[in-house]
Amino acid sequence: MLAAALAAVMSTSSGALIACATVANNDIWSRLRGAAKDRDDEGGHDEGGHDEVRGNRVFILVMGIGVIVTAIALNNVVEALTVAYNLLVGGLLVPILGGLLWKRGTAQGALASVIVGGLAVVGLMATYGILANEPVYYGLLLSLAAYVSVSLATPPTRPCSPPGGTGSPAAAPRTGVRTGRRAPVES
């Protein structure tokens, strides 16, 4: 019975670690490196010569060590869940809701919101204690301030093509940037 429970825990942990490492490598690290989105089909290398499998393995190792250190540092499951929920609410709630509800929000604003909110929550948990509520409240406020200010300071995100369109930018109607009127078509 114990072996079955441990196998289930190891399988779930393995899947979660692989998923996090793949997202970190392919979506975050690739963009920070400036790698092209289109990858060659041969050998898992992108145009910059980055080995995707090796990169995923490095991220799995780094994240695995981080998870082990975090598990050793926390005393019980309640503290671990509190840290997870504080980071989720303080760092991710504003950009998710902002992306769904505010058309002026930008990717840069969302990234700034995640970074500021997450760092605020971690710093305030160190100050007020892990089980305190203040880190979430202040993290939400700082995350909201970062999202709004960075979104307003950066150019608006280009809208997607209309429903039923071909998915290409050329299929979307041309409008003036500020007027909303149709721009003349260049030939």
Side-chain angles (χ1 to χ4, degrees):
M1 186 63 123
L2 181 61
L6 288 176
V9 167
M10 288 174 52
S11 173
T12 303
S13 300
S14 171
L17 192 56
I18 289 171
C20 290
T22 303
V23 167
N25 185 33
N26 295 345
D27 295 337
I28 298 170
W29 182 244
S30 292
R31 289 185 184 194
L32 291 175
R33 278 189 6 258
K37 286 185 179 179
D38 299 328
R39 301 192 183 281
D40 293 336
D41 292 333
E42 301 175 30
H45 296 278
D46 63 13
E47 293 175 2
H50 177 71
D51 184 4
E52 187 175 337
V53 174
R54 183 170 181 258
N56 284 345
R57 288 179 179 167
V58 168
F59 273 99
I60 287 172
L61 178 66
V62 169
M63 290 182 168
I65 291 170
V67 167
I68 290 170
V69 168
T70 303
I72 290 171
L74 298 174
N75 294 327
N76 57 43
V77 175
V78 173
E79 287 182 2
L81 288 173
T82 301
V83 168
Y85 288 127
N86 284 356
L87 286 171
L88 284 172
V89 173
L92 296 176
L93 181 67
V94 169
I96 289 172
L97 289 178
L100 292 172
L101 301 174
W102 191 38
K103 292 183 180 184
R104 182 57 180 87
T106 63
Q108 295 89 346
L111 183 60
S113 176
V114 169
I115 292 170
V116 169
L119 289 176
V121 167
V122 169
L124 292 169
M125 280 191 301
T127 304
Y128 286 103
I130 289 179
L131 299 176
N133 291 328
E134 288 86 356
V136 176
Y137 302 147
Y138 295 130
L140 278 170
L141 289 174
L142 291 172
S143 180
L144 179 63
Y147 184 71
V148 171
S149 61
V150 173
S151 290
L152 291 175
T154 55
T157 304
R158 192 176 61 153
C160 297
S161 61
T166 63
S168 68
R174 295 176 175 227
T175 60
V177 175
R178 298 189 189 272
T179 62
R181 296 187 313 243
R182 288 184 157 274
V185 177
E186 299 175 19
S187 46

Coordinates of all heavy atoms in Angstrom, one line a residue, residues 25-110:
N25 N 12.0 26.6 -19.9 CA 13.0 26.5 -21.0 C 12.4 27.0 -22.3 O 13.0 27.9 -22.9 CB 13.5 25.1 -21.2 CG 14.6 25.0 -22.2 OD1 15.4 25.9 -22.3 ND2 14.6 23.9 -22.9
N26 N 11.2 26.6 -22.7 CA 10.7 26.9 -24.0 C 10.0 28.3 -24.1 O 10.1 28.9 -25.1 CB 9.7 25.8 -24.5 CG 10.4 24.5 -24.7 OD1 11.6 24.4 -24.7 ND2 9.6 23.5 -24.8
D27 N 9.4 28.7 -23.0 CA 8.6 29.9 -23.1 C 9.3 31.1 -22.5 O 9.1 32.2 -22.9 CB 7.2 29.7 -22.4 CG 6.4 28.7 -23.1 OD1 6.6 28.5 -24.3 OD2 5.4 28.2 -22.5
I28 N 10.1 30.9 -21.4 CA 10.7 32.0 -20.7 C 12.2 32.1 -21.2 O 12.6 33.2 -21.7 CB 10.6 31.8 -19.2 CG1 9.2 31.8 -18.8 CG2 11.4 32.9 -18.5 CD1 8.9 31.4 -17.4
W29 N 13.0 31.1 -21.0 CA 14.4 31.1 -21.3 C 14.6 31.4 -22.8 O 15.5 32.2 -23.2 CB 15.1 29.9 -20.9 CG 16.6 29.9 -21.1 CD1 17.3 29.0 -21.9 CD2 17.6 30.7 -20.5 NE1 18.6 29.3 -21.9 CE2 18.8 30.4 -21.0 CE3 17.5 31.8 -19.6 CZ2 20.0 31.0 -20.7 CZ3 18.6 32.5 -19.3 CH2 19.9 32.1 -19.8
S30 N 13.8 30.8 -23.7 CA 14.0 31.0 -25.1 C 13.8 32.5 -25.5 O 14.5 33.0 -26.3 CB 13.0 30.1 -25.9 OG 13.4 28.8 -25.8
R31 N 12.8 33.1 -24.9 CA 12.5 34.5 -25.2 C 13.6 35.4 -24.6 O 13.9 36.4 -25.2 CB 11.1 34.9 -24.6 CG 10.0 34.3 -25.4 CD 8.7 34.8 -24.9 NE 7.6 34.1 -25.7 CZ 6.4 34.4 -25.7 NH1 6.0 35.5 -25.0 NH2 5.5 33.7 -26.4
L32 N 14.1 35.1 -23.4 CA 15.1 35.9 -22.9 C 16.4 35.8 -23.7 O 17.2 36.7 -23.8 CB 15.4 35.4 -21.4 CG 14.3 35.8 -20.4 CD1 14.7 35.2 -19.0 CD2 14.1 37.2 -20.3
R33 N 16.7 34.6 -24.3 CA 17.8 34.4 -25.1 C 17.6 35.0 -26.5 O 18.5 35.2 -27.3 CB 18.1 32.9 -25.3 CG 18.8 32.2 -24.3 CD 19.3 30.8 -24.6 NE 19.0 30.4 -26.0 CZ 18.0 29.6 -26.4 NH1 17.1 29.2 -25.5 NH2 17.8 29.3 -27.6
G34 N 16.3 35.3 -26.9 CA 16.0 35.8 -28.2 C 16.0 34.8 -29.2 O 16.2 35.0 -30.4
A35 N 15.8 33.5 -28.9 CA 15.7 32.4 -29.8 C 14.5 32.5 -30.7 O 13.4 33.0 -30.2 CB 15.8 31.1 -29.1
A36 N 14.6 32.1 -31.9 CA 13.4 32.1 -32.8 C 12.4 31.0 -32.4 O 12.8 30.0 -31.8 CB 13.9 31.8 -34.2
K37 N 11.2 31.3 -32.7 CA 10.1 30.4 -32.3 C 10.2 29.1 -33.1 O 9.9 28.0 -32.6 CB 8.7 31.0 -32.5 CG 8.4 32.1 -31.4 CD 7.0 32.5 -31.6 CE 6.6 33.6 -30.6 NZ 5.3 34.1 -30.8
D38 N 10.5 29.2 -34.4 CA 10.5 28.1 -35.3 C 11.8 27.3 -35.0 O 12.9 27.8 -35.1 CB 10.5 28.5 -36.7 CG 9.2 29.3 -37.1 OD1 8.2 29.0 -36.5 OD2 9.3 30.2 -37.9
R39 N 11.6 26.0 -34.7 CA 12.7 25.1 -34.4 C 12.9 24.2 -35.5 O 12.0 23.8 -36.2 CB 12.5 24.3 -33.1 CG 12.2 25.2 -31.9 CD 12.3 24.4 -30.6 NE 11.9 25.2 -29.5 CZ 12.8 26.0 -28.9 NH1 14.0 26.1 -29.3 NH2 12.4 26.7 -27.8
D40 N 14.2 23.8 -35.7 CA 14.5 22.8 -36.8 C 14.0 21.5 -36.3 O 14.0 21.2 -35.1 CB 16.0 22.8 -37.0 CG 16.5 24.0 -37.6 OD1 15.7 24.7 -38.3 OD2 17.7 24.3 -37.5
D41 N 13.6 20.7 -37.2 CA 13.1 19.3 -36.8 C 14.2 18.4 -36.5 O 14.0 17.3 -35.9 CB 12.2 18.8 -37.9 CG 10.9 19.5 -38.0 OD1 10.4 20.1 -37.0 OD2 10.3 19.5 -39.1
E42 N 15.4 18.7 -36.9 CA 16.5 17.8 -36.7 C 17.3 18.0 -35.4 O 17.8 19.1 -35.2 CB 17.5 18.0 -37.9 CG 16.9 17.7 -39.2 CD 17.9 18.0 -40.3 OE1 19.1 17.9 -40.1 OE2 17.4 18.4 -41.4
G43 N 17.3 17.0 -34.5 CA 18.1 17.1 -33.3 C 17.5 17.9 -32.2 O 18.2 18.0 -31.2
G44 N 16.4 18.6 -32.3 CA 15.9 19.4 -31.2 C 16.6 20.7 -31.0 O 16.6 21.3 -30.0
H45 N 17.4 21.2 -32.1 CA 18.1 22.4 -31.9 C 17.3 23.5 -32.6 O 16.6 23.3 -33.6 CB 19.5 22.3 -32.7 CG 20.4 21.3 -32.0 ND1 21.1 21.7 -30.9 CD2 20.7 20.1 -32.3 CE1 21.9 20.6 -30.6 NE2 21.6 19.6 -31.4
D46 N 17.3 24.7 -32.0 CA 16.7 25.8 -32.7 C 17.7 26.5 -33.5 O 18.9 26.1 -33.6 CB 16.0 26.8 -31.7 CG 17.0 27.4 -30.7 OD1 18.2 27.4 -30.9 OD2 16.5 28.0 -29.7
E47 N 17.4 27.7 -34.1 CA 18.3 28.4 -35.0 C 19.5 28.9 -34.3 O 20.5 29.1 -34.9 CB 17.5 29.5 -35.7 CG 16.5 29.0 -36.7 CD 15.7 30.1 -37.3 OE1 16.0 31.3 -37.0 OE2 14.8 29.8 -38.1
G48 N 19.4 29.1 -33.0 CA 20.6 29.6 -32.2 C 21.5 28.5 -31.8 O 22.4 28.7 -31.0
G49 N 21.2 27.2 -32.1 CA 22.0 26.1 -31.7 C 21.7 25.6 -30.3 O 22.5 24.9 -29.7
H50 N 20.6 26.0 -29.7 CA 20.2 25.6 -28.4 C 19.6 24.2 -28.4 O 18.7 23.9 -29.2 CB 19.2 26.6 -27.8 CG 18.7 26.2 -26.4 ND1 19.5 26.3 -25.3 CD2 17.5 25.7 -26.0 CE1 18.8 25.9 -24.3 NE2 17.6 25.6 -24.7
D51 N 20.2 23.3 -27.6 CA 19.7 21.9 -27.5 C 18.5 21.9 -26.5 O 18.7 22.1 -25.3 CB 20.8 21.0 -27.0 CG 20.4 19.5 -27.0 OD1 19.2 19.2 -27.4 OD2 21.2 18.7 -26.6
E52 N 17.3 21.7 -27.0 CA 16.1 21.8 -26.2 C 16.1 20.7 -25.1 O 15.7 21.0 -23.9 CB 14.9 21.6 -27.1 CG 13.6 21.9 -26.3 CD 12.4 21.9 -27.3 OE1 12.6 22.1 -28.5 OE2 11.3 21.6 -26.8
V53 N 16.5 19.5 -25.4 CA 16.5 18.4 -24.4 C 17.5 18.7 -23.3 O 17.1 18.5 -22.1 CB 16.8 17.0 -25.1 CG1 16.9 15.9 -24.1 CG2 15.7 16.7 -26.1
R54 N 18.7 19.1 -23.7 CA 19.7 19.5 -22.7 C 19.2 20.6 -21.8 O 19.3 20.6 -20.6 CB 21.0 19.8 -23.3 CG 22.1 20.1 -22.3 CD 23.4 20.2 -23.1 NE 24.5 20.5 -22.1 CZ 25.0 21.6 -21.9 NH1 24.6 22.7 -22.6 NH2 25.9 21.8 -21.0
G55 N 18.6 21.6 -22.4 CA 18.0 22.7 -21.6 C 17.0 22.3 -20.7 O 16.9 22.8 -19.5
N56 N 16.1 21.4 -21.1 CA 15.0 20.9 -20.2 C 15.6 20.2 -19.0 O 15.2 20.3 -17.9 CB 14.0 20.0 -21.0 CG 13.1 20.8 -21.8 OD1 12.9 22.0 -21.7 ND2 12.4 20.1 -22.8
R57 N 16.7 19.4 -19.3 CA 17.3 18.6 -18.2 C 17.9 19.6 -17.2 O 17.9 19.3 -16.0 CB 18.3 17.7 -18.8 CG 17.7 16.5 -19.5 CD 18.7 15.6 -20.1 NE 18.0 14.4 -20.8 CZ 18.6 13.6 -21.6 NH1 19.9 13.8 -21.8 NH2 17.9 12.6 -22.1
V58 N 18.6 20.6 -17.7 CA 19.2 21.6 -16.8 C 18.1 22.2 -15.9 O 18.3 22.4 -14.7 CB 20.0 22.6 -17.6 CG1 20.4 23.8 -16.7 CG2 21.2 22.0 -18.2
F59 N 17.0 22.6 -16.5 CA 15.9 23.3 -15.8 C 15.3 22.3 -14.8 O 14.9 22.7 -13.7 CB 14.9 23.9 -16.7 CG 15.2 25.3 -17.1 CD1 15.7 25.5 -18.3 CD2 14.9 26.3 -16.3 CE1 16.0 26.8 -18.7 CE2 15.2 27.6 -16.6 CZ 15.8 27.9 -17.9
I60 N 15.2 21.0 -15.1 CA 14.6 20.0 -14.2 C 15.6 19.9 -13.0 O 15.1 19.9 -11.8 CB 14.5 18.7 -14.9 CG1 13.3 18.7 -15.9 CG2 14.3 17.5 -13.9 CD1 13.1 17.5 -16.7
L61 N 16.9 19.9 -13.2 CA 17.8 19.8 -12.1 C 17.7 21.0 -11.2 O 17.6 20.9 -10.0 CB 19.3 19.6 -12.7 CG 20.4 19.6 -11.6 CD1 20.2 18.4 -10.8 CD2 21.7 19.6 -12.3
V62 N 17.8 22.2 -11.8 CA 17.7 23.5 -11.0 C 16.4 23.6 -10.3 O 16.4 23.9 -9.1 CB 17.9 24.7 -12.0 CG1 17.6 26.0 -11.2 CG2 19.3 24.7 -12.5
M63 N 15.3 23.3 -10.9 CA 14.0 23.4 -10.2 C 13.8 22.3 -9.2 O 13.3 22.5 -8.1 CB 12.9 23.3 -11.2 CG 12.8 24.6 -12.1 SD 11.4 24.5 -13.2 CE 11.3 26.2 -13.7
G64 N 14.4 21.1 -9.4 CA 14.3 20.0 -8.5 C 15.1 20.4 -7.2 O 14.6 20.2 -6.1
I65 N 16.3 21.0 -7.4 CA 17.0 21.4 -6.2 C 16.3 22.5 -5.5 O 16.2 22.5 -4.2 CB 18.4 21.9 -6.6 CG1 19.3 20.7 -7.1 CG2 19.2 22.6 -5.5 CD1 20.6 21.0 -7.8
G66 N 15.7 23.4 -6.2 CA 14.9 24.5 -5.6 C 13.7 24.0 -4.8 O 13.4 24.4 -3.6
V67 N 13.1 23.0 -5.3 CA 11.9 22.4 -4.6 C 12.4 21.6 -3.3 O 11.7 21.7 -2.3 CB 11.1 21.4 -5.5 CG1 10.2 20.5 -4.8 CG2 10.4 22.2 -6.6
I68 N 13.5 20.9 -3.4 CA 14.0 20.2 -2.3 C 14.4 21.2 -1.2 O 14.1 21.0 0.0 CB 15.2 19.3 -2.7 CG1 14.7 18.2 -3.5 CG2 16.0 18.8 -1.4 CD1 15.8 17.3 -4.1
V69 N 15.1 22.3 -1.5 CA 15.5 23.3 -0.5 C 14.3 24.0 0.1 O 14.2 24.1 1.3 CB 16.4 24.4 -1.2 CG1 16.6 25.6 -0.3 CG2 17.7 23.8 -1.6
T70 N 13.2 24.2 -0.7 CA 12.0 24.8 -0.2 C 11.3 23.8 0.8 O 10.8 24.2 1.8 CB 11.0 25.2 -1.3 OG1 11.7 26.1 -2.2 CG2 9.8 25.8 -0.8
A71 N 11.3 22.6 0.4 CA 10.6 21.5 1.3 C 11.4 21.4 2.6 O 10.8 21.2 3.7 CB 10.6 20.2 0.6
I72 N 12.7 21.5 2.6 CA 13.5 21.4 3.8 C 13.2 22.7 4.7 O 13.2 22.6 5.9 CB 15.0 21.2 3.5 CG1 15.2 19.8 2.9 CG2 15.8 21.4 4.7 CD1 16.6 19.6 2.3
A73 N 13.1 23.8 4.0 CA 13.0 25.1 4.8 C 11.6 25.2 5.5 O 11.5 25.9 6.5 CB 13.2 26.3 3.9
L74 N 10.6 24.6 4.9 CA 9.2 24.8 5.4 C 9.0 23.6 6.4 O 9.4 22.5 6.2 CB 8.2 24.7 4.3 CG 8.3 25.9 3.3 CD1 7.3 25.7 2.2 CD2 8.0 27.2 4.0
N75 N 8.2 24.0 7.5 CA 8.1 23.0 8.6 C 6.9 22.0 8.4 O 7.0 20.9 8.9 CB 7.8 23.8 9.9 CG 9.1 24.5 10.3 OD1 10.2 24.1 10.0 ND2 8.9 25.7 10.9
N76 N 5.9 22.5 7.7 CA 4.7 21.6 7.5 C 4.0 21.9 6.2 O 4.3 22.8 5.5 CB 3.8 21.6 8.7 CG 3.3 23.1 9.0 OD1 3.0 23.8 8.0 ND2 3.3 23.5 10.2
V77 N 3.0 21.1 6.0 CA 2.2 21.2 4.7 C 1.4 22.5 4.7 O 1.3 23.1 3.6 CB 1.3 20.0 4.5 CG1 0.4 20.1 3.3 CG2 2.1 18.7 4.5
V78 N 0.9 22.9 5.8 CA 0.1 24.2 5.9 C 1.0 25.4 5.4 O 0.5 26.2 4.6 CB -0.5 24.4 7.3 CG1 -1.1 25.7 7.4 CG2 -1.4 23.3 7.6
E79 N 2.2 25.4 5.9 CA 3.1 26.5 5.5 C 3.4 26.4 4.0 O 3.4 27.4 3.3 CB 4.4 26.5 6.3 CG 4.3 26.9 7.7 CD 5.6 26.9 8.4 OE1 6.6 26.6 7.8 OE2 5.6 27.3 9.6
A80 N 3.6 25.2 3.5 CA 3.9 25.0 2.0 C 2.7 25.5 1.2 O 2.9 26.2 0.2 CB 4.3 23.6 1.7
L81 N 1.5 25.1 1.6 CA 0.3 25.5 0.8 C 0.1 27.0 1.0 O -0.3 27.7 0.0 CB -0.9 24.8 1.4 CG -1.0 23.3 1.0 CD1 -2.1 22.6 1.7 CD2 -1.1 23.1 -0.5
T82 N 0.4 27.6 2.1 CA 0.3 29.0 2.3 C 1.2 29.8 1.4 O 0.8 30.8 0.7 CB 0.5 29.4 3.8 OG1 -0.4 28.7 4.6 CG2 0.3 30.9 4.0
V83 N 2.4 29.3 1.3 CA 3.4 30.0 0.4 C 2.9 29.9 -1.1 O 2.9 30.9 -1.8 CB 4.8 29.3 0.5 CG1 5.7 29.8 -0.6 CG2 5.4 29.7 1.9
A84 N 2.5 28.7 -1.5 CA 2.0 28.5 -2.8 C 0.8 29.4 -3.1 O 0.8 30.1 -4.2 CB 1.6 27.0 -3.1
Y85 N -0.2 29.4 -2.3 CA -1.4 30.3 -2.5 C -1.1 31.8 -2.4 O -1.6 32.5 -3.2 CB -2.5 29.9 -1.5 CG -3.1 28.6 -1.8 CD1 -3.2 27.6 -0.9 CD2 -3.6 28.3 -3.1 CE1 -3.8 26.4 -1.2 CE2 -4.1 27.1 -3.4 CZ -4.2 26.1 -2.5 OH -4.8 24.9 -2.8
N86 N -0.2 32.2 -1.5 CA 0.2 33.6 -1.5 C 0.9 34.0 -2.8 O 0.6 35.1 -3.3 CB 1.2 33.8 -0.3 CG 0.5 33.8 1.0 OD1 -0.7 33.7 1.1 ND2 1.3 33.9 2.1
L87 N 1.8 33.2 -3.3 CA 2.4 33.5 -4.6 C 1.4 33.5 -5.7 O 1.5 34.4 -6.6 CB 3.5 32.5 -4.9 CG 4.8 32.7 -4.0 CD1 5.8 31.6 -4.2 CD2 5.5 34.0 -4.3
L88 N 0.5 32.6 -5.7 CA -0.5 32.5 -6.8 C -1.4 33.7 -6.8 O -1.7 34.4 -7.8 CB -1.4 31.2 -6.7 CG -0.7 30.0 -7.2 CD1 -1.6 28.8 -6.8 CD2 -0.4 30.0 -8.7
V89 N -1.9 34.1 -5.6 CA -2.8 35.2 -5.5 C -2.1 36.5 -5.6 O -2.4 37.4 -6.4 CB -3.6 35.2 -4.1 CG1 -4.4 36.4 -4.0 CG2 -4.5 34.0 -4.1
G90 N -1.0 36.7 -4.9 CA -0.2 38.0 -4.9 C 0.5 38.2 -6.2 O 0.7 39.4 -6.6
G91 N 0.9 37.2 -6.9 CA 1.6 37.4 -8.2 C 0.9 37.2 -9.5 O 1.2 37.7 -10.5
L92 N -0.2 36.3 -9.4 CA -0.8 35.9 -10.7 C -2.2 36.4 -10.8 O -2.7 36.4 -12.0 CB -0.7 34.4 -10.9 CG 0.7 33.8 -11.0 CD1 0.6 32.3 -11.1 CD2 1.3 34.4 -12.3
L93 N -2.9 36.7 -9.8 CA -4.3 37.1 -9.9 C -4.5 38.3 -10.7 O -5.4 38.3 -11.6 CB -5.0 37.3 -8.5 CG -6.4 37.6 -8.5 CD1 -7.2 36.4 -9.0 CD2 -6.9 38.0 -7.1
V94 N -3.8 39.4 -10.5 CA -3.9 40.6 -11.2 C -3.7 40.5 -12.7 O -4.5 40.9 -13.5 CB -3.1 41.7 -10.6 CG1 -3.0 43.0 -11.5 CG2 -3.6 42.1 -9.2
P95 N -2.6 39.9 -13.1 CA -2.4 39.8 -14.6 C -3.4 38.8 -15.3 O -3.7 39.1 -16.4 CB -0.9 39.2 -14.7 CG -0.5 38.8 -13.4 CD -1.4 39.4 -12.4
I96 N -3.8 37.8 -14.6 CA -4.8 36.9 -15.2 C -6.2 37.7 -15.4 O -6.7 37.7 -16.5 CB -5.0 35.7 -14.4 CG1 -3.8 34.8 -14.5 CG2 -6.3 34.9 -14.9 CD1 -3.8 33.6 -13.6
L97 N -6.6 38.3 -14.3 CA -7.9 39.1 -14.4 C -7.7 40.3 -15.4 O -8.6 40.6 -16.1 CB -8.4 39.5 -13.1 CG -8.9 38.4 -12.2 CD1 -9.3 38.9 -10.8 CD2 -10.1 37.6 -12.8
G98 N -6.6 40.9 -15.3 CA -6.3 42.1 -16.1 C -6.3 41.7 -17.6 O -6.9 42.4 -18.5
G99 N -5.7 40.6 -17.9 CA -5.7 40.1 -19.3 C -7.1 39.7 -19.8 O -7.4 39.9 -21.0
L100 N -7.9 39.3 -18.9 CA -9.3 38.9 -19.3 C -10.2 40.1 -19.4 O -11.1 40.1 -20.3 CB -9.9 37.8 -18.4 CG -9.2 36.5 -18.4 CD1 -9.7 35.6 -17.3 CD2 -9.4 35.8 -19.7
L101 N -10.0 41.1 -18.5 CA -11.0 42.1 -18.4 C -10.6 43.5 -18.9 O -11.5 44.3 -19.2 CB -11.4 42.3 -16.9 CG -12.0 41.0 -16.2 CD1 -12.2 41.2 -14.8 CD2 -13.3 40.6 -16.9
W102 N -9.3 43.8 -19.1 CA -8.9 45.1 -19.5 C -8.2 45.0 -20.8 O -7.1 44.4 -20.9 CB -7.9 45.7 -18.4 CG -7.6 47.1 -18.6 CD1 -8.5 48.1 -19.0 CD2 -6.4 47.7 -18.3 NE1 -7.8 49.3 -19.0 CE2 -6.5 49.1 -18.6 CE3 -5.1 47.3 -17.9 CZ2 -5.5 50.0 -18.4 CZ3 -4.1 48.2 -17.7 CH2 -4.3 49.5 -18.0
K103 N -8.8 45.6 -21.8 CA -8.2 45.5 -23.2 C -6.9 46.2 -23.3 O -6.2 45.9 -24.3 CB -9.2 46.0 -24.2 CG -10.4 45.1 -24.3 CD -11.4 45.5 -25.4 CE -12.6 44.6 -25.4 NZ -13.5 44.9 -26.5
R104 N -6.6 47.2 -22.5 CA -5.4 48.0 -22.6 C -4.2 47.3 -22.0 O -3.1 47.7 -22.2 CB -5.7 49.4 -22.0 CG -4.5 50.4 -22.1 CD -4.1 50.6 -23.5 NE -3.0 51.6 -23.6 CZ -1.7 51.3 -23.5 NH1 -1.4 50.0 -23.3 NH2 -0.8 52.2 -23.6
G105 N -4.4 46.2 -21.2 CA -3.3 45.5 -20.6 C -2.3 45.0 -21.6 O -2.8 44.6 -22.7
T106 N -1.1 44.9 -21.3 CA 0.0 44.5 -22.2 C 0.7 43.3 -21.6 O 0.7 43.1 -20.4 CB 1.0 45.6 -22.6 OG1 1.6 46.0 -21.4 CG2 0.3 46.8 -23.2
A107 N 1.5 42.6 -22.5 CA 2.3 41.5 -22.0 C 3.4 42.0 -21.0 O 3.7 41.4 -20.0 CB 2.9 40.8 -23.2
Q108 N 3.9 43.2 -21.3 CA 5.0 43.8 -20.5 C 4.4 44.1 -19.1 O 5.0 43.9 -18.1 CB 5.6 45.0 -21.1 CG 6.3 44.8 -22.4 CD 5.4 44.8 -23.6 OE1 4.2 44.8 -23.5 NE2 6.1 44.9 -24.8
G109 N 3.1 44.6 -19.1 CA 2.5 44.9 -17.8 C 2.2 43.6 -17.0 O 2.4 43.6 -15.8
A110 N 1.8 42.6 -17.7 CA 1.6 41.3 -17.0 C 2.9 40.8 -16.4 O 2.9 40.3 -15.3 CB 0.9 40.3 -18.0

